[in-house]
Amino acid sequence: MIPLLALLLLAAPAAAQRVVQSINSNWLFRKDSLALNPSQVVAAAGWMPISLPHTWNATDVLDDEPGYYRGGGWYRKTLFVPAGWQRRAVYLRFEGANQEAEVYVNGQLAGRHAGGYTAFSVPISKLLVFSNNAPTTAEVVVKLTNRYNPAIPPLTADFTFYGGIYRDAYVVAAEPVHFDLSNYASSGVFVTTPAVSAEAASVAVRGALANESASSRQLLVRTQLLDHAGRVVARQQSRLTLRAGERREFRQALPALRRPHLWAPGDPYLYQAVSQVVDARQNTVLDEVRNPVGLRWFRFEAATGFFLNSERAAAQAHWHQPAPGLPQPGQRPARCPGRARRAAT
């Protein structure tokens, strides 16, 4: 699997588009106190192979022991990085790690994050060590704890605060000029629908650009709204100059869409907003983000309930984060996670 990952990364496109590669496989895990530093824990024994998503509490709530483990754990993985990435902006993105994380790359701190239910990303370009134009490796170590911390909500709940990197993880590589990847681990582009009706709909786009290159760049931000068949139904363009090291926000209002095809549970129709950063001088695409867009409106009325697109509809709940090793929808756990959690408080 490790050579296969190397081939996948080496085969990634060298320019024009960002690369988002899963790094869920080939991790090592070690449950431990947090007394060791990263260099000491790497040399320690007791590592076990795992894949993400992973939690060290998967069986705690099902055994006969009261409570569940709220402490520290370590994860480590070797990344194989293609030579062409030394000229790119490279980030690690974690969709969820509960709940206090420190990420190290090649023994150096890349970033910290507090909170188990939000994604986060850390820049690692400056921590990658290349030799000429040869590929390189990077040792990633994640120090994690799900200890009780009164400064991090929620403090109590009727569920277990599972520890671990319990959602997917990715490595992201982009051109030096790109949509801002440090914006709370988002794609850097946000789409809203300020007004929607059966007659017309408005679509707005906002975000930020980052210039991590060493020179000023003249840029275009192009956004096209595509229908389900891929036809362009609206477009907008902005021009700006970004200094070296500068980050700047942008906003775009697309022309109103007449007689839009509305989204509904029985007809989940989606448009797609395609936003691009373009080098204005060379007319080359530097970065691209695609966002699905569903056009609909809703309201709640105390007497009659929930309405979607002016029609009464049923409001439904969902399982908020199923993960391997945990009870899935329709399955009843052998022991109530809420009871196990209260016993440990």
Side-chain angles (χ1 to χ4, degrees):
M1 288 300 293
I2 291 179
L4 176 59
L5 177 59
L7 289 174
L8 288 173
L9 293 182
L10 288 169
Q17 302 296 327
R18 70 173 63 178
V19 177
V20 181
Q21 174 68 54
S22 170
I23 53 171
N24 280 352
S25 61
N26 298 306
W27 286 82
L28 296 173
F29 168 73
R30 187 178 191 273
K31 186 188 290 187
D32 200 3
S33 70
L34 300 184
L36 300 177
N37 62 45
S39 61
Q40 291 173 323
V41 78
V42 167
W47 292 94
M48 59 179 291
I50 60 98
S51 294
L52 304 182
H54 174 265
T55 174
W56 56 68
N57 298 117
T59 60
D60 284 358
V61 297
L62 305 178
D63 60 27
D64 293 327
E65 298 294 327
Y68 64 99
Y69 179 71
R70 299 198 71 171
W74 294 85
Y75 294 85
R76 57 183 286 214
K77 176 183 178 64
T78 300
L79 289 181
F80 295 84
V81 186
W85 285 17
Q86 61 187 303
R87 292 175 291 276
R88 302 195 115 203
V90 184
Y91 288 74
L92 296 179
R93 185 181 190 278
F94 298 88
E95 292 193 347
N98 202 29
Q99 68 178 349
E100 297 172 70
E102 294 181 1
V103 181
Y104 296 84
V105 175
N106 292 332
Q108 300 184 64
L109 180 66
R112 293 186 174 92
H113 179 76
Y117 303 103
T118 52
F120 64 98
S121 62
V122 293
I124 66 170
S125 304
K126 296 181 180 179
L127 304 180
L128 301 177
V129 181
F130 291 91
S131 177
N132 299 321
N133 291 319
T136 189
T137 60
E139 185 74 16
V140 178
V141 176
V142 181
K143 175 183 177 181
L144 196 60
T145 177
N146 67 334
R147 69 186 177 106
Y148 177 82
N149 186 336
I152 303 177
L155 302 182
T156 60
D158 61 350
F159 54 82
T160 298
F161 292 89
Y162 293 101
I165 307 178
Y166 71 99
R167 292 180 183 163
D168 296 327
Y170 301 89
V171 59
V172 182
E175 288 296 293
V177 178
H178 52 80
F179 291 111
D180 187 13
L181 289 165
S182 63
N183 193 345
Y184 299 101
S186 70
S187 67
V189 179
F190 304 89
V191 181
T192 57
T193 54
V196 178
S197 70
E199 290 73 35
S202 60
V203 177
V205 178
R206 66 176 179 86
L209 301 180
N211 182 3
E212 296 187 38
S213 73
S215 61
S216 178
R217 304 290 289 272
Q218 295 182 20
L219 305 169
L220 299 174
V221 180
R222 294 174 179 167
T223 297
Q224 296 185 122
L225 186 67
L226 311 181
D227 65 12
H228 189 69
R231 295 182 293 261
V232 177
V233 296
R235 66 182 74 198
Q236 188 58 272
Q237 180 172 289
S238 306
R239 183 181 295 269
L240 67 159
T241 300
L242 217 59
R243 299 188 303 271
E246 184 180 3
R247 176 188 176 277
R248 189 186 304 177
E249 296 182 353
F250 70 90
R251 293 178 180 272
Q252 295 178 323
L254 275 65
L257 187 62
R258 303 300 176 187
R259 304 296 300 177
H261 192 142
L262 300 178
W263 182 96
D267 182 18
Y269 188 94
L270 291 177
Y271 293 86
Q272 191 170 64
V274 181
S275 300
Q276 296 178 328
V277 183
V278 181
D279 186 297
R281 290 181 174 177
Q282 300 179 4
N283 196 33
T284 55
V285 177
L286 303 176
D287 196 11
E288 179 180 285
V289 169
R290 293 173 174 257
N291 281 304
V293 181
L295 299 174
R296 73 274 192 251
W297 77 96
F298 62 89
R299 73 179 189 274
F300 286 93
E301 294 183 1
T304 54
F306 175 69
F307 287 80
L308 178 68
N309 301 336
S310 294
E311 296 184 3
R312 190 175 181 184
Q316 300 180 359
H318 67 91
W319 187 263
H320 86 288
Q321 50 182 24
L326 306 182
Q328 303 299 303
Q331 296 179 348
R332 182 180 297 274
R335 182 182 296 272
C336 173
R339 292 179 180 174
R341 191 205 59 74
R342 286 193 291 271
T345 301

